[in-house]
Amino acid sequence: MTNGSNDYGVTFPQIRFVSQLLTRHGNVERFTRTNDIQFDLVTRRGSELRLICVNEYTCGFLRVLEVQEDFPELNIVYVGGSWNGYTMQAKEYCIKAQLGLFNATEINGALYRDDYWLYCRTDEKGNPIYPTRAS
Amino acid sequence: MAFAAKDTKLLWGRAAGICSNPHCRQKLTATGADGSSFLTGEMAHQIAQSPEGPRGTESGGDDTYENLILLCPTCHRTIDKAPVGTYPVELLKGWKKTHEDWVDGWAREGAYESAVEVAREVQRLLAENHAHFEEYGPRSRIAAENPASTVQSIWVARKLDTLLPNNRRIVSLMERHAKMMPASVVASFQRFKMHVQAFEDNQYERVDTYPLFPDEFPNEIAAVLA
């Protein structure tokens, strides 16, 4: 795996984390990486998804729009590690647009779902947990 | 509902009779027109007594100090009526801890007699925060090398029990001793104060941008000590 460059401030260790996750993921048949942070993957059920790896401590609505503009046919925005998250405004937009928006604590579970954009972690009572509070 | 005297005294005492919601801090005692004093505070359960209550669990919450938080009627009603998950138990615990630390800090702050003394204490608190940020924060080596590291939970805990209380102590110290400080220090402190407020607000709901830590503030403090 080679180190490239990107305009989103994503470092190689972060890209490598995503690559390793996809390599081991039980629902990812194969994937390719281009443009340094673009991952085009095929699930075991044959779905083709485009995942873009960014590094946003808090990914806002505007940032999602920027990623959409820079990477056509976008399916999932991965915002970064456990410390990172997103605003509720961004999440609500993505759910409506059927876009995935996840951090490191969510991406693994999301990729098992055909309706990945709806995936969220839940507490013991089944209530959704979103990383919309600072970590 | 009757709470044990010990739990009542602990709760009211440690909260100093002030609403424990850091965004409220309303006084919970008042004086009527006839000169008599009365209480407006409410001792709210973090985990409801009943499993069906707000933030309820199977076993239900008890009436001990540990499970109670002192709030004004509005905040009590807000946390109980809000959609499930808006005010989880962990958030209320954080409020309570932060609030009690803030109150506790009053006794320890004392009055300083010189700008140097104030700057020394502020520098100590800033250094403590910086150490935790460097070790566990979102730009730490650990976060960079392992984005999914569970060390992130330590960062969350340190923010609640160290960084946020330290920030408030710094704000309190600087405001109480502002007249001693050079104008340049006061100016950079105002930016620090905005950062502190935004940083704390961000713990409860993320915003995509807010005033970051002003790097010139510790330099200004160091200049006082030079």
Side-chain angles (χ1 to χ4, degrees):
Chain A
M1 196 180 156
T2 56
N3 191 6
S5 65
N6 62 81
D7 295 329
Y8 282 81
V10 188
T11 62
F12 185 64
Q14 292 163 333
I15 295 170
R16 183 177 57 202
F17 171 81
V18 175
S19 180
Q20 289 172 340
L21 183 144
L22 294 178
T23 299
R24 292 191 298 261
H25 200 281
N27 194 35
V28 174
E29 181 70 33
R30 61 184 183 276
F31 70 92
T32 56
R33 174 182 157 228
T34 54
N35 298 316
D36 205 36
I37 58 174
Q38 176 180 323
F39 292 84
D40 291 309
L41 59 104
V42 180
T43 69
R44 297 214 186 278
R45 289 189 280 273
S47 297
E48 296 180 359
L49 299 175
R50 175 161 294 167
L51 179 153
I52 302 300
C53 173
V54 299
N55 178 28
E56 297 290 319
Y57 181 63
T58 299
C59 183
F61 168 62
L62 184 60
R63 195 53 153 172
V64 173
L65 294 181
E66 289 171 344
V67 176
Q68 276 187 298
E69 187 173 330
D70 289 345
F71 297 92
E73 298 176 42
L74 172 71
N75 299 110
I76 298 174
V77 179
Y78 167 76
V79 302
S82 310
W83 286 257
N84 292 7
Y86 40 78
T87 63
M88 207 57 218
Q89 182 190 32
K91 188 63 173 178
E92 287 169 350
Y93 167 78
C94 286
I95 289 174
K96 282 184 187 162
Q98 296 192 356
L99 281 175
L101 183 65
F102 306 112
N103 73 0
T105 66
E106 304 172 297
I107 187 65
N108 193 59
L111 288 174
Y112 280 105
R113 298 263 299 254
D114 290 335
D115 56 350
Y116 51 88
W117 59 92
L118 293 177
Y119 173 82
C120 65
R121 293 166 60 219
T122 56
D123 62 19
E124 64 275 6
K125 295 180 90 173
N127 301 309
I129 300 173
Y130 297 114
T132 51
R133 288 209 295 269
S135 297
Chain B
M1 175 182 303
F3 297 101
K6 174 189 162 190
D7 297 299
T8 301
K9 288 177 182 177
L10 277 172
L11 191 69
W12 276 85
R14 288 180 177 175
I18 294 171
C19 180
S20 299
N21 179 350
H23 302 281
C24 178
R25 295 230 166 113
Q26 185 179 355
K27 277 180 64 174
L28 302 178
T29 61
T31 305
D34 62 353
S36 63
S37 298
F38 58 96
L39 305 173
T40 58
E42 297 183 357
M43 298 167 62
H45 289 90
Q46 295 179 42
I47 299 173
Q49 282 183 305
S50 158
E52 288 77 35
R55 304 169 298 282
T57 61
E58 262 190 46
S59 52
D62 56 32
D63 291 340
T64 61
Y65 157 79
E66 284 72 22
N67 189 43
L68 297 169
I69 180 170
L70 189 68
L71 297 171
C72 71
T74 300
C75 289
H76 187 184
R77 188 171 179 81
T78 298
I79 66 167
D80 282 356
K81 296 297 183 186
V84 174
T86 309
Y87 297 96
V89 172
E90 61 184 24
L91 175 64
L92 300 182
K93 285 190 185 301
W95 281 6
K96 183 179 176 182
K97 178 79 169 64
T98 300
H99 181 71
E100 292 182 352
D101 283 347
W102 175 63
V103 170
D104 191 49
W106 298 349
R108 284 188 274 121
E109 274 162 18
Y112 292 82
E113 295 186 355
S114 71
V116 168
E117 284 183 24
V118 176
R120 193 169 289 133
E121 177 62 5
V122 169
Q123 190 177 63
R124 184 189 70 79
L125 295 168
L126 287 173
E128 186 175 24
N129 281 6
H130 185 71
H132 286 296
F133 178 77
E134 286 284 295
E135 187 64 30
Y136 302 117
R139 295 186 201 156
S140 63
R141 180 189 54 80
I142 297 173
E145 292 178 358
N146 182 1
S149 173
T150 50
V151 152
Q152 178 259 341
S153 63
I154 297 180
W155 169 240
V156 173
R158 291 297 82 80
K159 277 196 296 182
L160 288 179
D161 65 25
T162 303
L163 272 78
L164 293 181
N166 280 355
N167 279 346
R168 290 205 201 91
R169 278 193 210 115
I170 292 171
V171 169
S172 177
L173 271 172
M174 290 296 297
E175 288 184 330
R176 289 174 64 196
H177 300 89
K179 289 181 183 172
M180 291 181 186
M181 291 296 181
S184 61
V185 176
V186 173
S188 71
F189 163 67
Q190 293 305 323
R191 288 185 285 278
F192 173 78
K193 188 177 169 184
M194 284 196 296
H195 161 71
V196 164
Q197 185 59 59
F199 179 74
E200 184 155 339
D201 289 344
N202 201 49
Q203 305 313 306
Y204 305 111
E205 183 162 348
R206 284 183 185 258
V207 290
D208 46 30
T209 184
Y210 65 87
L212 297 180
F213 182 86
D215 290 333
E216 74 273 14
F217 181 58
N219 295 335
E220 290 286 346
I221 292 294
V224 174
L225 295 170

